[in-house]
Amino acid sequence: MTPPDDIGAGGRRPARAPGARRLTRHRLFWPATFLASLLLGNVAFTHDFFAVRVQNGHLYGSLIDILQFGAPLILVSLGMTLVIATRGIDLSVGSTVAIAGALACEHIATAKDPGSLPTVLSAITLAVGVAAAIGLLNGLLVARLYVQPIVATLVLMVAGRGVAQLITDGQIISVSSSAYKMIGGGYWLTLPFAVLLAAALVAVTSFVTRRTALGMLIESVGGNPVASRLVGVRAAGLLVMVYVVSAVCAAVAGLMISSNVSSADGNNAGLWIELDAILAVVIGGTALTGGRFSVGGTVLGALIIQTLSTTIYTLGVPPETTLVFKALVVMAVCLVQSPAFRARLSRRRRPAASAPAVGDAGVRQQEVHP
Amino acid sequence: MAAPPGPRTPTRTDQPVLQARGIRKAFPGVLALDGVGLRLFPGEVHALMGENGAGKSTLIKVLTGVHPPDEGSVSVDGSLQRFAEPLEAQHAGISTVYQEVNLCPNLSVAENLLVGREPRRLGLIHWSALYARAARLITELELDLDVRLPLSAYSLAVQQLVAIARAVDLEAKVLILDEPTSSLDRDEVAQLFSLVRRLRDRGVAILFVTHFLDQVFDLCDRVTVLRGGRLEGEYRIDELTPVTLVHRMVGSELRTLDELAETSRTASAAPVPAETPFLSARGLARSGAVQPYDLDIHRGEVIGLAGLLGSGRTEAARLLFGADHADAGGLRINGERTDLRSPRAAIARRIAFCSENRKAEGLIAELTVRENIVLALQAARGWARPLSRARQDEIAARWTEVLDIRPADPEAQVRNLSGGNQQKVLLARWLLTDPELLILDEPTRGIDIGAKTEIQKLVTRLASEGTAVVFISAEIEEVLRLSHRVGVLRDHRLVATLLNDPPLTPDRILGTIATGATS
Ligand SMILES: Nc1ncnc2c1ncn2[C@@H]1O[C@H](COP(=O)(O)OP(=O)(O)OP(=O)(O)O)[C@@H](O)[C@H]1O
Ligand SMILES: [Mg+2]
């Protein structure tokens, strides 16, 4: 095609956004700003908030705590991100956390040598394998039977918690296994092992989704399922895959949580974590309507929520108001991220700043005489 | 209002009902409008013309409060207005049908027509009155629809008509129609025009966007031309000829209209029919969509599908792609029996299908132009065999150039492109898969006349290189210009397959449609 080159967009001046505008438009700008201000705000109350000490070759400090206690949430949110990107949602992750912890602890507690590595490895395999089966079930319900994701995963959210209680007989199973303790409470290369594990899984997920076509195809299925079918994207396979990944992430989170406290609690482990994870994903800039997802945003979102919980404890907010406090902060984050809300704010701040000049400013109209 | 019937030219004492001055609107990376003005007088039909991406839809969105302008003013009846949202413009008497139909596919036709002003009784929706009123609106437009069915049961063209019917019912003094005729056939266009003339005679000002020159000269009194986001000028229609109008739009003296109109009809000679056709359908049918039909498609052959709205053109084509599953009959590809269970299976057999409904069935709105272009190719390879980023960039750059997609920025979100440019992205997506059978459903919908000619040439060239093409268009002339054979559909039945040699005339096709006679 040979368009004359003096026309159209060719002759158009590009409207460059100034550097600052471009920065605020970056999708991670608001979550990152919010996390930073939350952390800085803590310094006002805890002066050594940013201090990191080395003790026995391990790093200690509030920041390290946030990372360590936030690791399970980061993992659950990671899997949730992929599910949400396909327009789905996975409510069963909290139960999967509980089931994984219960299975692993039960296996170790009844083993002959709870401390040995083979026992722990088989416990991990068992927990992750069962979680994968749960994910497969969710995925098949959604992809093959077209059950709404919220309904499909609600089944296991409710039933799964019951299963976890059955495994533990409604008791709290305690284990004493130093190898198992490593996952959620151990240190490696001065850092908590849980942080390294979460970081590794985040890195692998970003790498696989962005270096293969997986990310784009997931976004395509979530962005427009009808069109995706017509371009030949194999949506069913992708859907099953993301639910399995989500369940496996939840299982690893469950192992971390139970390992950290050396016990499994079928009633309370991972309770409501699915809601925090959904929140983390949304704060991170992935829309519940599916499509574009951001693993980096999700990690920031999870850290925001964890920092918030830590802050609430250090501030000594009375327990009966913590939930309200958390809700208020989360609402603020969501409002700041809403373009409609920001537009409204800025419109109020400069009413008619660009008030039109009366007169034919710049109009080159050819008068029409009858 | 007692305006005299017939077109009027505004007198100097007239005050515009709607006037825009010095409108500037920038999007990140693109200055979409730069100092554009527009005047609309009561009782005129005013065309807004320009190439794809010239800024027509953006101007309309600024006029109606979808986008706030960066600079400039909009006034209604002489007083300045700043519409914060489309509803305010609607309350000020400006009724708009945007380029992309904005209705709710899962609500009924009646609800879509009257949503927001449902007749009520004791505070509850009065359903029978709602259906009755909707049915009245529909008959006024001489349409034949069941207003209780969900809107999604109807084709895109019908949805467009419903959007128009809704806008027309709004007792407006300004009616804005952004490419309302892009997928309508002659009859609907004629009905729409007679409606527009009636409204004009009642004193309504109508702003009308189209890429069909004949419609402009047929209907409009005055024309505003945009070029590359700037105002080129405002003209009375009798000051212009089609040739000068095109010059105003493209800004070049090089292209004459003749050159544009003359697409060597069936430039590729009809192929020598091979023993086995690439694809052959026998008794292919799907209940409620298409009656059993037979069709052979040879390599290098362009088969046009003609028929009225809702005659089953799209439905017939979808069966050839596995987009819908046929419930009777069989398909052979290269003589081999196949059952296309899904589009994926069809793509594996080197069939491509470019849907008429680019928003619902084509684009992934929030992905980039590059991602949308490579999507079909990538999906066929599977996720584990990614196209390298360099390869994607190269493909996107090449097709952006071949189809002149603007802005030429492969990293732009496809939803921000103008309608015509989005259409080109979809064409690129399928052309680059190098299909053996290319099914194009309204491929030139919303595309400007320059680019349309290029696309028609491209189809002809692909056919001469051995691609089989199924070409569907509401524009019979276009079908006849490109096709070796024309399949005529009527009431979900393929009534005739006519050889386009000696050349068929549109009247012959229309006659076949009317009588349903096989020849
Ligand atoms: N929301 C947006 N964000 C960024 N760019 C945009 C947006 N909307 C429009 N544009 C750009 O503004 C320019 C004008 O687009 P517009 O849709 O007004 O064109 P148009 O004249 O209606 O074209 P067409 O005939 O193809 O419908 C295009 O370059 C388009 O890419
Ligand atoms: Mg447009």
Side-chain angles (χ1 to χ4, degrees), chain B residues 156-224:
Chain B
L156 189 67
V158 172
Q159 298 187 15
Q160 209 169 24
L161 286 168
V162 170
I164 293 169
R166 173 181 163 77
V168 164
D169 189 44
L170 284 169
E171 287 298 319
K173 51 190 174 194
V174 176
L175 176 63
I176 300 179
L177 302 170
D178 194 352
E179 298 197 30
T181 56
S182 60
S183 51
L184 303 186
D185 340 288
R186 282 189 185 189
D187 283 359
E188 284 90 35
V189 171
Q191 270 154 31
L192 176 64
F193 282 11
S194 78
L195 177 80
V196 165
R197 291 195 180 95
R198 286 204 301 276
L199 291 170
R200 175 197 62 196
D201 295 345
R202 291 210 311 246
V204 177
I206 291 127
L207 184 65
F208 180 72
V209 179
T210 184
H211 289 294
F212 295 99
L213 291 185
D214 49 340
Q215 295 180 353
V216 176
F217 285 91
D218 188 13
L219 186 71
C220 299
D221 307 314
R222 291 193 311 133
V223 184
T224 292

Side-chain angles (χ1 to χ4, degrees), chain A residues 140-160:
Chain A
L140 290 176
L141 284 175
V142 172
R144 287 282 169 220
L145 300 180
Y146 306 104
V147 181
Q148 294 263 344
I150 198 166
V151 177
T153 58
L154 189 63
V155 173
L156 278 173
M157 176 188 179
V158 176

Side-chain angles (χ1 to χ4, degrees), chain B residues 122-184:
Chain B
L122 302 175
L124 299 176
I125 295 181
H126 189 347
W127 286 101
S128 53
L130 177 92
Y131 289 130
R133 206 169 127 195
R136 211 167 336 111
L137 262 173
I138 287 295
T139 26
E140 255 173 50
L141 276 172
E142 297 177 45
L143 290 173
D144 179 22
L145 305 181
D146 182 347
V147 295
R148 291 166 190 257
L149 285 185
L151 187 69
S152 56
Y154 290 102
S155 73
L156 189 67
V158 172
Q159 298 187 15
Q160 209 169 24
L161 286 168
V162 170
I164 293 169
R166 173 181 163 77
V168 164
D169 189 44
L170 284 169
E171 287 298 319
K173 51 190 174 194
V174 176
L175 176 63
I176 300 179
L177 302 170
D178 194 352
E179 298 197 30
T181 56
S182 60
S183 51
L184 303 186

Side-chain angles (χ1 to χ4, degrees), chain B residues 445-466:
Chain B
R445 190 166 79 86
I447 284 198
D448 66 36
I449 58 172
K452 193 172 189 167
T453 319
E454 295 301 326
I455 286 167
Q456 293 171 355
K457 280 189 192 147
L458 201 66
V459 168
T460 308
R461 202 190 73 217
L462 285 173
S464 68
E465 289 166 5

Side-chain angles (χ1 to χ4, degrees), chain A residues 61 152 205-206 226 369:
Chain A
T205 308
S206 333
V226 177
H369 302 290

Side-chain angles (χ1 to χ4, degrees), chain B residues 56-57 99 178-179 418-419:
Chain B
K56 304 178 295 292
S57 300
Q99 186 168 10
D178 194 352
E179 298 197 30
S418 80

